[in-house]
């Protein structure tokens, strides 16, 4: 159902949610770009407005073909919702602090009126409402939208990781950045064109995810992220641990995430118990390191660092992993808190052998993961 909102900016955000329900991979980054684009276009012109949204929100030919019909459907239904509200009002009164001005501005826009929107689009920040929302504190009403955004973000990051380019002397795809740099000496005239070609990406990822009791509030979101990422990026091996280590790569190849969770539950891995990070990392080194680790492998550990076992095994195991792998990234949900310090015994053991220690408590922190891949 399409609900009426009181400003153009809020309705654009709701339109992005509507597209996600139709299978579009629209993340909060695209939502923010769309809102910012309103500063540079005449959004009272519906054709220009539609084209601007189409350029930002469509990522494939099939989406381009579907967009016009979905755009028309959404704003038509929205117009009906607004007309219904107008008809049912009698003797309307404007009270200080209400959204009446914004409501009228949206109605004017839908009818092609040249009135400018009263409410600044910058006043509604999707980042504050969703991207920076801690996973452990997501209200039930926001869960569906959070999951849809998380899925879109993970697939986009996976696609970015897949698409790497290298310089090429052959006439292939133009490299705009290198072209501009090469022609600076000619006063900006484009006399020499630089090209690039897709780079054969052999990067492998190994993910070790802590599903113990202390990670309970974050586990479902992290598993959803890994699941969606692995649907796009095939060179990934995933393990989960609590008191022992288990490979879950095959489980995550289920057709849908709900089936994957059911399969995990059916295998009775005893998750949501205590945490033995050291023993789990040691088991990985003994059973899998020789086969999976090399200088084209990035190891990602998702854990809060709380260990109820032998913490010395963390340092010993990570030293071996760090030597064999290209990079070790430790993502800790607690690192998102302003006063966080890696003082627990497990983190102290791990720090000398970690290349990156970063938070993983919200969508924004996951988005930054692309910097290290």
């Amino acid at each position: 159902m399409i609900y009426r909102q009181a400003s153009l900016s809020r309705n654009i955000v709701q339109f992005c949610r509507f597209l996600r329900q139709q299978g579009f991979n629209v993340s909060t980054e695209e939502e923010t770009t769309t809102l910012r684009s309103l500063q540079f276009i005449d959004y009272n012109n519906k054709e220009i407005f539609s084209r601007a949204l189409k350029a930002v929100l469509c990522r494939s030919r099939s989406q381009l073909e579907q967009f016009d019909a979905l755009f028309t459907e959404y704003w038509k239904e929205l117009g009906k919702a607004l007309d219904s509200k107008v008809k049912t009002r009698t003797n309307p009164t404007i009270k200080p602090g209400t959204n009446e001005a914004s409501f009228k501005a949206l109605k004017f826009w839908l009818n092609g009126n040249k009135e400018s929107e009263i409410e600044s689009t910058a006043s509604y920040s999707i980042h504050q409402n969703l991207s920076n929302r801690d996973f452990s504190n997501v209200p039930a009403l926001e869960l569906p939208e959070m999951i849809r955004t998380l899925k879109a973000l993970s697939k986009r990051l996976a696609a970015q990781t897949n698409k790497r380019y290298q310089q090429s002397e052959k006439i292939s795809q133009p490299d705009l950045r290198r072209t501009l740099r090469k022609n600076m000496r000619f006063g900006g005239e484009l006399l020499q064109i630089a090209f690039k070609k897709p780079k054969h990406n052999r990067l492998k990822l190994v993910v070790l995810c802590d599903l113990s009791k202390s990670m309970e509030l974050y586990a479902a979101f992290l598993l959803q992220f890994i699941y969606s990422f692995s649907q796009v990026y095939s060179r990934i091996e995933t393990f989960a641990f609590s008191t022992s280590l288990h490979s879950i790569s095959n489980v995550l190849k289920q057709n849908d995430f709900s089936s994957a969770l059911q399969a995990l539950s059916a295998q009775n891995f005893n998750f949501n118990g205590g945490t033995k990070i050291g023993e789990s990392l040691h088991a990985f080194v003994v059973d899998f390191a020789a086969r999976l680790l090399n200088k084209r492998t990035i190891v990602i550990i998702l854990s809060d660092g709380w260990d109820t076992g032998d913490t010395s095994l963390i340092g010993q195991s990570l030293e071996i992993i760090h030597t064999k792998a290209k990079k070790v990234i430790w993502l800790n949900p607690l690192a998102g808190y302003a006063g966080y310090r890696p003082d627990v015994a497990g983190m102290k053991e791990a720090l000398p052998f970690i290349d990156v220690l970063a938070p993983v408590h919200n969508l924004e922190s996951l988005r930054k993961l692309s910097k290290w891949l």
Side-chain angles (χ1 to χ4, degrees), residues 64-80:
L64 288 171
E65 294 171 350
Q66 298 175 55
F67 182 86
D68 291 337
L70 293 174
F71 179 89
T72 302
E73 176 187 348
Y74 175 83
W75 295 101
K76 184 177 180 180
E77 290 299 317
L78 182 64
K80 290 180 181 178

Side-chain angles (χ1 to χ4, degrees), residues 19 250 262:
L19 289 181
N250 290 332
Q262 291 174 6

Side-chain angles (χ1 to χ4, degrees), residues 77-129:
E77 290 299 317
L78 182 64
K80 290 180 181 178
L82 288 171
D83 289 337
S84 175
K85 179 179 177 182
V86 171
K87 291 175 183 177
T88 55
R89 285 192 171 187
T90 57
N91 300 324
T93 57
I94 301 177
K95 298 180 181 180
T98 67
N99 288 325
E100 189 67 27
S102 295
F103 167 73
K104 287 183 176 180
L106 178 56
K107 182 65 179 176
F108 288 149
W109 182 86
L110 287 169
N111 292 326
N113 195 295
K114 297 300 181 182
E115 293 274 345
S116 61
E117 185 184 20
I118 301 298
E119 180 180 340
S120 169
T121 59
S123 67
Y124 183 72
S125 172
I126 186 63
H127 277 284
Q128 289 181 353
N129 287 357

Side-chain angles (χ1 to χ4, degrees), residues 268-319:
N268 193 25
F269 286 148
N270 193 30
F271 295 137
N272 294 325
T275 317
K276 293 187 178 180
I277 303 175
E279 282 86 342
S280 299
L281 292 179
H282 177 71
F284 173 80
V285 168
V286 172
D287 298 331
F288 302 100
R291 178 170 61 88
L292 297 180
L293 300 185
N294 56 47
K295 290 304 179 181
R296 294 192 300 270
T297 305
I298 293 179
V299 177
I300 302 174
I301 301 172
L302 306 169
S303 175
D304 56 9
W306 288 95
D307 193 339
T308 58
D310 184 357
T311 57
S312 65
L313 285 174
I314 296 178
Q316 296 171 19
S317 302
L318 276 181
E319 183 175 11

Side-chain angles (χ1 to χ4, degrees), residues 9 29 40 44 50 63 76 82 104 125-126 155-157 159 176 210 216 230 250 261 286 308 339 347 357 361 366:
S9 56
E29 186 173 343
F40 308 104
N44 293 302
S50 173
Q63 291 179 1
K76 184 177 180 180
L82 288 171
K104 287 183 176 180
S125 172
I126 186 63
K155 290 181 178 180
R156 180 173 180 177
L157 286 180
L176 180 59
D210 183 349
E216 186 176 27
S230 61
N250 290 332
L261 287 182
V286 172
T308 58
M347 290 309 305
L357 173 61
H361 62 301
L366 283 173

Side-chain angles (χ1 to χ4, degrees), residues 41 57 65 126 190 212 221 236 325 346:
I41 65 171
L57 302 175
E65 294 171 350
I126 186 63
L190 299 182
S212 63
F221 295 102
I236 181 172

